[in-house]
Amino acid sequence: MTEMVYGAIPARDGEPVIPKWWRTVDKVTLGCVLGLFGMGLLLGFAASPPLAERNGLPPFYYVERQAMFAVLALAAMFGASLMSPNRVRRFGVLGFFAAFAALALLPVLGTDFGKGAIRWYSLGIASVQPSEFMKPVFIVTAAWLMAAAQEINGPPGKMFSFGLMVIIVGILVMQPDFGQASLILFGWGVMYFVAGAPMLLLVAIAGLVSVGGFFAYENSDHFARRIDGFLNPEVDPTTQLGYAANAIREGGFFGVGVGEGTVKMNLPDAHTDFIIAVAAEEYGLILVLIIIALYASVVLRSFSRLMKERDPFIRLAGTGLASVFGVQAMINMGVAVRLLPAKGMTLPFVSYGGSSLIAGGLLVGMLLALTRSRPQNEIGQMLAGRAREGRS
């Protein structure tokens, strides 16, 4: 009856999966993500050969591995984007239990690779960082709990999601991994705000975070060193932040030229945490602005499509996924220009790293699945249009 009255376009029963996916997926977001993958390979050619030479490896060893990880990430993104919202929810909840178990077992089975934080499982030919996979599945699980709380006689989902967030953040802080902990906290906070949290409660949570930060500063040498380095007005030119800041200044508007940069020779993390410094030095501000525009387009396009959704779970999960994706990029680039303390966080799809690329592919794949066009979107648009015509 609704379709007869409002003229909604009926679902195309029996339509093949791939044509239906192509018809409903956000092609602009998809194109921006593919552009970021391309940027990652381009900058990998610039940043990784010096590191490979220092490690006695073939010049393009890391580029080849990044290409392999990119293929796996694209496969994960494509597979996740084919899922329905219900399957995204089931996958997220099951994935959350797996990621939680992997995080809990890190102190026993994990390794630090000499970096002072036990964050990885060594698989011999590669390593896995569970916290990267925890981000998207926790967002989906928390969104499911918050959406369930909005139902009549629903469970106290907001309280359950808060408890899970506290436990996960606590585990990550003990590694220590303050960067991933802050992303988990931020993603949960955005969803909690969208779900209708009272401002007083959000202010109280912000106060608790400040107290926790002060406690970490007083009791963690790792955390204190990074904060002190950020607050120090004088930057040691021999540190990673010093090299990155100098590279960005040298690059100027058009860059020093392809292959002419020197920051990749001095930075051990030039291909990961400070890849944007390589981009700024060799290609200049122009390429950096293009990269920023690609991230902003993904986030803003996702928000635009989510505003048309009526399903609380889709709105909350999509908002959380898009927010975490955008903020991670913002933090990485903010660290490189000393707007934020060092976090040890990758630039999504651009930095080298298997766990980061594949987990990012899952995150964006689920975001694409949640923002695909659905019949209720068209009905909502028609209702809104008829309402505007009635008022005029």
Side-chain angles (χ1 to χ4, degrees):
M1 183 66 182
T2 301
E3 288 80 3
M4 293 175 63
V5 173
Y6 296 109
I9 301 173
R12 304 182 187 180
D13 294 332
E15 184 178 6
V17 173
I18 302 303
K20 182 178 180 181
W21 172 83
W22 180 248
R23 178 173 58 84
T24 57
V25 76
D26 184 359
K27 300 176 186 62
V28 174
T29 296
L30 183 62
C32 290
V33 171
L34 293 177
L36 290 170
F37 273 107
M39 293 291 181
L41 290 175
L42 172 68
L43 295 174
F45 277 103
S48 62
L51 177 66
E53 183 180 353
R54 288 197 297 269
N55 292 336
L57 299 169
F60 298 111
Y61 173 82
Y62 292 105
V63 178
E64 293 170 356
R65 286 177 64 86
Q66 183 166 357
M68 178 187 68
F69 292 139
V71 170
L72 294 176
L74 287 170
M77 181 180 73
F78 176 69
S81 69
L82 291 172
M83 294 190 292
S84 66
N86 285 337
R87 288 184 177 177
V88 170
R89 186 186 68 240
R90 295 191 192 104
F91 176 83
V93 173
L94 292 174
F96 171 79
F97 286 113
F100 184 84
L103 273 181
L105 292 173
L106 269 177
V108 180
L109 302 175
T111 182
D112 63 355
F113 289 109
K115 296 185 178 182
I118 302 176
R119 302 177 185 174
W120 300 271
Y121 286 105
S122 177
L123 304 180
I125 60 173
S127 61
V128 177
Q129 186 175 352
S131 60
E132 291 284 0
F133 295 91
M134 173 57 79
K135 286 181 298 188
V137 295
F138 169 76
I139 292 295
V140 171
T141 302
W144 168 56
L145 292 170
M146 292 182 189
Q150 298 181 11
E151 299 176 359
I152 298 176
N153 297 322
K158 292 181 181 179
M159 183 179 68
F160 290 159
S161 70
F162 176 76
L164 290 178
M165 182 272 294
V166 170
I167 293 171
I168 294 165
V169 168
I171 293 174
L172 291 173
V173 167
M174 287 188 294
Q175 288 183 0
D177 191 346
F178 296 101
Q180 300 293 350
S182 64
L183 282 177
I184 293 287
L185 178 59
F186 176 81
W188 178 86
V190 169
M191 290 190 298
Y192 200 47
F193 175 77
V194 173
M199 287 301 298
L200 185 61
L201 181 58
L202 291 174
V203 171
I205 292 173
L208 289 175
V209 171
S210 300
V211 172
F214 179 78
F215 180 81
Y217 179 83
E218 293 293 329
N219 294 274
S220 171
D221 292 337
H222 173 81
F223 187 82
R225 281 195 306 271
R226 295 198 168 187
I227 297 298
D228 290 340
F230 172 69
L231 296 177
N232 189 351
E234 299 294 331
V235 182
D236 185 350
T238 61
T239 63
Q240 294 207 95
L241 287 174
Y243 285 124
N246 182 67
I248 293 170
R249 284 193 300 268
E250 291 293 327
F253 199 79
F254 296 103
V256 298
V258 179
E260 299 298 322
T262 60
V263 68
K264 59 195 177 187
M265 306 293 184
N266 303 307
L267 281 178
D269 295 328
H271 63 314
T272 55
D273 299 353
F274 290 94
I275 191 72
I276 199 67
V278 177
E281 184 181 32
E282 297 202 358
Y283 297 92
L285 180 62
I286 292 178
L287 185 65
V288 175
L289 291 177
I290 292 173
I291 292 173
I292 293 173
L294 291 175
Y295 285 114
S297 297
V298 172
V299 175
L300 295 178
R301 287 280 304 185
S302 299
F303 285 161
S304 175
R305 293 171 78 93
L306 290 167
M307 288 175 64
K308 304 170 186 176
E309 285 290 346
R310 295 178 295 170
D311 187 312
F313 166 73
I314 294 176
R315 286 201 310 270
L316 292 171
T319 300
L321 292 171
S323 299
V324 166
F325 178 77
V327 167
Q328 179 170 342
M330 184 182 71
I331 290 175
N332 176 278
M333 290 184 280
V335 168
V337 295
R338 285 202 80 214
L339 288 176
L340 295 169
K343 291 286 194 302
M345 195 174 294
T346 58
L347 190 60
F349 300 139
V350 178
S351 295
Y352 172 85
S355 294
S356 175
L357 279 168
I358 297 172
L362 283 174
L363 186 152
V364 173
M366 289 192 285
L367 181 60
L368 287 170
L370 295 173
T371 56
R372 285 171 60 182
S373 300
R374 277 176 284 276
Q376 73 258 23
N377 289 348
E378 297 163 0
I379 294 173
Q381 292 168 5
M382 293 177 183
L383 288 172
R386 290 177 181 271
R388 286 193 297 269
E389 292 174 3
R391 288 196 297 270
S392 61

